[in-house]
Amino acid sequence: MINISNPKSSNAPQPKTAFLEFAFRPFFLFASLQSIIALLLWNGLLTGSFSLNLYGGSLWWHIHEMLFGFAAAVIVGFLLTAVQNWSGVRSLNGKGLLLLVCVWLTGRVLFFFPDNISHWIIALIDIAFLPLSAAALAYPIIKVKLWRNLMFVPILLIMAACNAAMHYSIASQNPLLMNSASSSMVLLVTLVMTIMGGRVFPMFTANGTRTPRVDAISWLEKLTIGSTILAVLSGSGFIELPALLTAVIFFTAAAAHTVRMLRWKIWVTLKTPLVWSLHLSYWCIAIGLFMYGLSQITFSVSHSQAIHALTVGAMGTMILSMISRVSLGHTGRMIVVGKIMSGAFAALILAFIVRVFGSYWITNYSHVITLAVGLWVIGYGSFIALYFPILIKPRVN
């Protein structure tokens, strides 16, 4: 079981700065801030409010920064925090953590100087982040032979390969490679959410609502994870499959997620924001996978809509809910949020609705993007405002 909300004590020396005590502190804060900056710049570029000379061009940069800048940083922050609970071995902290954060930050900054710095240097520094993170994650897992959780190491390395493909798409001027690499990353993150969700959501639901925990059904868990893995392989674009077969795979995965989610009983969570937000984000996985399948066989749903259902709806909402929970639990606070964060979760759900379905009733596409970005900024801006002092100060107990 993944235990991340209640950290084990450690006799290892603690870093002098609380901010570098665990990876969740810098990565949750900086990734949230980076997502706001990236989306505001993207919206300004899209509406013509200003222009920027960005490495890879504005579209490549937008896709890359939301996936390999924002989402990857949160995943690394989560895993490098959780691994200490899994293994009992002190996870990356102090100067080592600072070095990893600096690698990530440097990658974000260098994209603004494509004419001044070699593209190879920019690419190598940015690509290095995930392999370095995988190494930091692997050490405590291998040390205590915790093989069950070793699977996250190859997932991070595959993400790094997708990042390398994204960069190579610039050098080779191959937009199809960019689409395949970015779609692969979206689906890999979806797989991570699927695995983590199955492990912790029933526990969070039971603890948060004081209702009996729903036990997993072995065949359903295997079908859900297995079909999602097939969706990753078929949806990446690196393997050629008939469109109808790809659609069937995605429909099967969506159906499995729906059954899994129905068993978790969202209706018992409605008074618990930290739980209903997780449930709604997981429903977006099922919706996104279903729309992805539809996009293969019909023009009524676009590939972009399916991708944004998985990114804004599932990824954006689940990340905001999880980083809120983890930040409270790991700093010794009650795992409860108030009206502001409840509103933040609602803002992310509205951002998903507007971004994915807004074009059906809003004729001006730029208005759709601007409204969705505004809602995202409200959601993650609320997190930064409330959690900044929490993330930089020592535990309260």
Side-chain angles (χ1 to χ4, degrees):
M1 175 62 64
I2 291 178
N3 174 13
I4 189 169
S5 295
N6 300 298
K8 296 176 182 178
S9 61
S10 172
N11 295 323
Q14 301 298 307
K16 295 180 180 179
T17 304
F19 191 57
L20 298 174
E21 179 187 12
F22 282 101
F24 78 91
R25 291 177 178 270
F27 282 120
F28 288 2
L29 182 61
F30 288 152
S32 298
L33 180 60
Q34 185 263 354
S35 76
I36 291 175
I37 295 171
L39 284 178
L40 288 174
L41 290 178
W42 168 242
N43 187 61
L45 292 168
L46 203 62
T47 58
S49 300
F50 51 80
S51 62
L52 285 173
N53 182 24
L54 295 166
Y55 172 91
S58 59
L59 177 60
W60 185 96
W61 177 82
H62 164 65
I63 295 171
H64 183 275
E65 286 305 270
M66 294 310 294
L67 294 176
F68 298 99
F70 166 64
V74 172
I75 290 170
V76 167
F78 184 95
L79 291 175
L80 291 184
T81 301
V83 72
Q84 180 167 318
N85 287 26
W86 304 340
S87 65
V89 177
R90 188 71 175 99
S91 59
L92 190 67
N93 66 94
K95 293 180 180 179
L97 178 57
L98 177 61
L99 177 62
L100 187 63
V101 172
C102 287
V103 171
W104 178 83
L105 281 172
T106 302
R108 313 285 64 77
V109 173
L110 293 185
F111 286 142
F112 290 92
F113 303 97
D115 293 335
N116 306 103
I117 301 172
S118 166
H119 284 201
W120 285 105
I121 293 176
I122 294 174
L124 287 174
I125 291 175
D126 180 64
I127 293 170
F129 172 66
L130 283 169
L132 289 173
S133 301
L137 178 66
Y139 172 74
I141 292 176
I142 294 173
K143 185 174 182 179
V144 299
K145 301 179 180 180
L146 196 65
W147 308 126
R148 184 188 181 210
N149 290 318
L150 190 63
M151 62 181 171
F152 292 109
V153 174
I155 288 176
L156 289 180
L157 293 177
I158 295 171
M159 288 179 175
C162 291
N163 192 14
M166 283 285 289
H167 284 277
Y168 186 69
S169 72
I170 298 173
S172 60
Q173 297 183 345
N174 187 346
L176 292 179
L177 180 59
M178 179 190 75
N179 291 336
S180 295
S182 58
S183 294
S184 298
M185 180 62 174
V186 170
L187 294 171
L188 279 169
V189 175
T190 301
L191 176 61
V192 171
M193 293 189 294
T194 298
I195 296 170
M196 304 293 262
R199 291 190 181 189
V200 302
F201 283 17
M203 175 182 66
F204 289 167
T205 302
N207 293 345
T209 64
R210 301 187 183 278
T211 56
R213 178 173 175 169
V214 176
D215 294 326
I217 300 176
S218 179
W219 68 263
L220 179 59
E221 295 302 297
K222 292 176 181 177
L223 176 62
T224 304
I225 295 174
S227 61
T228 304
I229 292 173
L230 289 177
V232 174
L233 296 174
S234 61
S236 65
F238 292 112
I239 300 176
E240 291 288 340
L241 290 177
L244 182 59
L245 178 57
T246 300
V248 169
I249 291 172
F250 275 87
F251 291 153
T252 302
H257 280 280
T258 299
V259 174
R260 193 191 207 192
M261 198 67 236
L262 284 171
R263 295 190 68 250
W264 292 345
K265 303 176 183 177
I266 188 174
W267 50 90
V268 305
T269 72
L270 301 182
K271 295 182 179 180
T272 314
L274 276 173
V275 183
W276 63 248
S277 55
L278 290 175
H279 279 245
L280 287 178
S281 71
Y282 199 93
W283 273 104
C284 290
I285 294 179
I287 294 169
L289 292 174
F290 181 73
M291 294 181 74
Y292 205 114
L294 283 179
S295 72
Q296 300 295 306
I297 57 176
T298 179
F299 293 107
S300 61
V301 173
S302 69
H303 178 77
S304 176
Q305 285 177 294
I307 288 294
H308 283 92
L310 292 172
T311 52
V312 181
M315 195 186 305
T317 309
M318 191 179 296
I319 285 175
L320 184 60
S321 182
M322 285 298 293
I323 64 178
S324 300
R325 169 184 288 274
V326 171
S327 298
L328 292 173
H330 262 276
T331 56
R333 291 168 170 81
M334 293 281 292
I335 306 179
V336 178
V337 296
K339 293 181 180 179
I340 294 178
M341 284 310 300
S342 298
F345 301 148
L348 261 292
I349 294 298
L350 288 174
F352 149 69
I353 294 171
V354 170
R355 182 60 186 84
V356 176
F357 304 107
S359 58
Y360 292 140
W361 68 83
I362 302 175
T363 55
N364 191 320
Y365 181 70
S366 65
H367 292 171
V368 172
I369 302 301
T370 299
L371 180 55
V373 167
L375 290 165
W376 182 287
V377 170
I378 290 172
Y380 278 87
S382 297
F383 172 81
I384 293 171
L386 290 179
Y387 283 78
F388 178 79
I390 293 174
L391 293 171
I392 66 172
K393 292 180 180 179
R395 285 177 58 92
V396 296
N397 57 19

